[in-house]
Amino acid sequence: MSKYYKITISVIAIIIYNCLVYSLYVVESDFPDSNITNLADAYWYSLVTLTTVGYGDFYPVTFWGRFIGFLFVLGSLGILGYILTELNYKIKDYLNKKEMGLLGTKITNHYIIIGWNSFSKEVVEQIIRAKEPLAVIVNNEKDLKQIKQFYKNKECFVLQTEFEDHESLNVVNINNSKRVYINFDTDTETLVYAIGLKKRYNNLNCVVAIDNTELRDSFKYIGIQYIIPKKEIVSKFIASYIFEPNVASLTEDLISTSTKTGDFDICETELKEDSSLLNVAYIDAFVEQKKNNNITLLGVNRGGVLIKNPKESFLFEKGDIVVFIADIGNKSIFK
């Protein structure tokens, strides 16, 4: 039922109601034994009857008065049925919106995955292992139920919406997200969606994984920060396993998220204004962290440029992103 139709019906009902109340007042007020002597009494009687309270302090005594009262009794049944129906609809609508994630979430500085398939599931597994806040956006009920079956709401917030409805992305605080991974079945779908997304949310940090490397420049042009060529990554791993199997095995282990103390990960963290590494030379920090925390510094990202194995005299600054190998228990030591 459209909003305009509801308003029209409501206006007609109010007009009919007021006409009946006035008619009740007219036929009852001139009758000697009537206790409905003014318009206020007529309104009070009608409201008590329509709400099925029935105090009995006012009642019609004339034939036409009782006829109008009978209409109010029938109306009370309709109003009660309408109220119960609307209440049931509102409850179902609320529960449905909650199930679909349309009521939103308060998480911030989180990761968002748009699109769901087996590849997305592998990515989600890694993020959940790292205990990072995560939201997944799907466009059908089947994927929604599958994700909710695998993961708890605290681990992974799920939103079901049409992918073209960029406005609905506000309920997952997309503007306050740390990074967004766009994952569709084809590179063309991913590119088209990325264009619309970056047009609306220009400052997003986005990640895409593509099969066709010829589209890399197109993704760079629209401002996608991280473009991962699937085939190149896989081919490099396979080649490494062929002639440097130990290097490949170690690399695979380090980029996978660890879940228990004693396992090591390659980690990164941004240096804040209270970090103990600020204005410290790289060689001094390297020795100190290795000696005291068994952390191995690998490189620094400054201004979007990754500096691998910096010079000994390199001084850390606020905003530098430090890349290091650490035990899972020490991976947050710089935060």
Side-chain angles (χ1 to χ4, degrees):
M1 185 183 296
S2 67
K3 184 177 180 180
Y4 176 78
Y5 182 76
K6 283 187 175 181
I7 293 175
T8 303
I9 294 298
S10 298
V11 170
I12 294 174
I14 291 173
I15 293 174
I16 294 175
Y17 166 71
N18 282 281
C19 289
L20 288 175
V21 171
Y22 184 77
S23 299
L24 178 65
Y25 158 68
V26 170
V27 299
E28 288 290 316
S29 60
D30 293 334
F31 197 79
D33 296 331
S34 175
N35 58 9
I36 301 177
T37 58
N38 54 60
L39 200 57
D41 294 341
Y43 271 109
W44 175 250
Y45 165 75
S46 66
L47 291 175
V48 169
T49 304
L50 288 172
T51 55
T52 68
V53 176
Y55 286 122
D57 50 351
F58 292 101
Y59 49 88
V61 294
T62 65
F63 171 79
W64 288 111
R66 289 175 177 174
F67 178 77
I68 295 173
F70 176 70
L71 294 180
F72 282 140
V73 172
L74 293 179
S76 68
L77 298 177
I79 290 176
L80 184 61
Y82 175 78
I83 292 175
L84 292 176
T85 300
E86 283 294 307
L87 182 61
N88 182 57
Y89 170 78
K90 293 294 184 183
I91 292 175
K92 285 185 175 180
D93 184 57
Y94 172 82
L95 294 176
N96 186 49
K97 287 182 177 179
K98 183 178 181 181
E99 176 71 13
M100 294 173 63
L102 294 175
L103 298 182
T105 176
K106 295 181 180 180
I107 59 175
T108 57
N109 200 31
H110 54 300
Y111 301 93
I112 296 177
I113 295 178
I114 302 176
W116 182 256
N117 51 34
S118 58
F119 196 79
S120 299
K121 186 175 183 298
E122 296 295 331
V123 177
V124 167
E125 291 285 351
Q126 296 296 321
I127 296 176
I128 289 180
R129 285 183 187 177
K131 298 182 179 179
E132 295 287 349
L134 172 67
V136 179
I137 300 172
V138 299
N139 67 339
N140 63 77
E141 186 178 0
K142 179 182 177 182
D143 291 339
L144 175 75
K145 290 184 176 180
Q146 185 183 59
I147 297 172
K148 284 184 174 291
Q149 181 181 358
F150 288 141
Y151 312 109
K152 300 177 182 177
N153 289 333
K154 292 182 178 180
E155 295 177 329
C156 177
F157 179 83
V158 191
L159 169 66
Q160 180 189 337
T161 184
E162 295 297 329
F163 290 135
E164 295 78 13
D165 184 12
H166 292 147
E167 184 70 28
S168 64
L169 300 182
N170 291 323
V171 304
V172 295
N173 296 323
I174 191 168
N175 277 320
N176 296 317
S177 63
K178 195 169 185 178
R179 203 156 289 122
V180 177
Y181 171 49
I182 307 171
N183 179 47
F184 292 109
D185 292 332
T186 67
D187 293 344
T188 303
E189 288 180 282
T190 302
L191 180 59
V192 171
Y193 185 84
I195 292 173
L197 187 67
K198 291 292 288 185
K199 184 177 180 180
R200 186 175 184 85
Y201 305 99
N202 185 51
N203 295 324
L204 289 183
N205 292 318
C206 295
V207 180
V208 297
I210 61 175
D211 293 309
N212 186 0
T213 55
E214 294 180 0
L215 292 175
R216 181 182 295 178
D217 290 339
S218 299
F219 282 102
K220 283 185 177 180
Y221 178 77
I222 63 174
I224 301 299
Q225 287 81 2
Y226 303 100
I227 304 160
I228 306 167
K230 295 180 183 178
K231 293 180 179 179
E232 284 187 13
I233 297 296
V234 172
S235 63
K236 288 177 182 178
F237 258 110
I238 293 175
S240 185
Y241 269 110
I242 293 173
F243 62 86
E244 292 179 328
N246 293 311
V247 173
S249 181
L250 178 63
T251 303
E252 182 182 359
D253 178 63
L254 289 175
I255 64 175
S256 300
T257 304
S258 300
T259 57
K260 60 182 179 179
T261 303
D263 288 342
F264 285 83
D265 283 340
I266 295 182
C267 315
E268 67 174 54
T269 188
E270 182 179 347
L271 299 183
K272 305 298 183 180
E273 57 186 8
D274 58 347
S275 174
S276 61
L277 291 186
L278 296 184
N279 299 317
V280 176
Y282 182 82
I283 186 61
D284 294 333
F286 185 95
V287 174
E288 179 186 357
Q289 293 301 324
K290 182 60 181 176
K291 181 178 179 181
N292 297 331
N293 301 312
N294 197 22
I295 289 177
T296 304
L297 302 183
L298 297 177
V300 180
N301 185 305
R302 176 175 292 175
V305 178
L306 181 62
I307 306 171
K308 305 173 185 177
N309 194 24
K311 295 181 179 179
E312 295 182 2
S313 59
F314 179 92
L315 296 179
F316 288 102
E317 298 178 357
K318 176 185 175 182
D320 285 346
I321 299 176
V322 183
V323 183
F324 56 95
I325 298 177
D327 180 281
I328 187 174
N330 288 337
K331 64 188 302 183
S332 61
I333 195 169
F334 297 134
K335 293 184 179 180

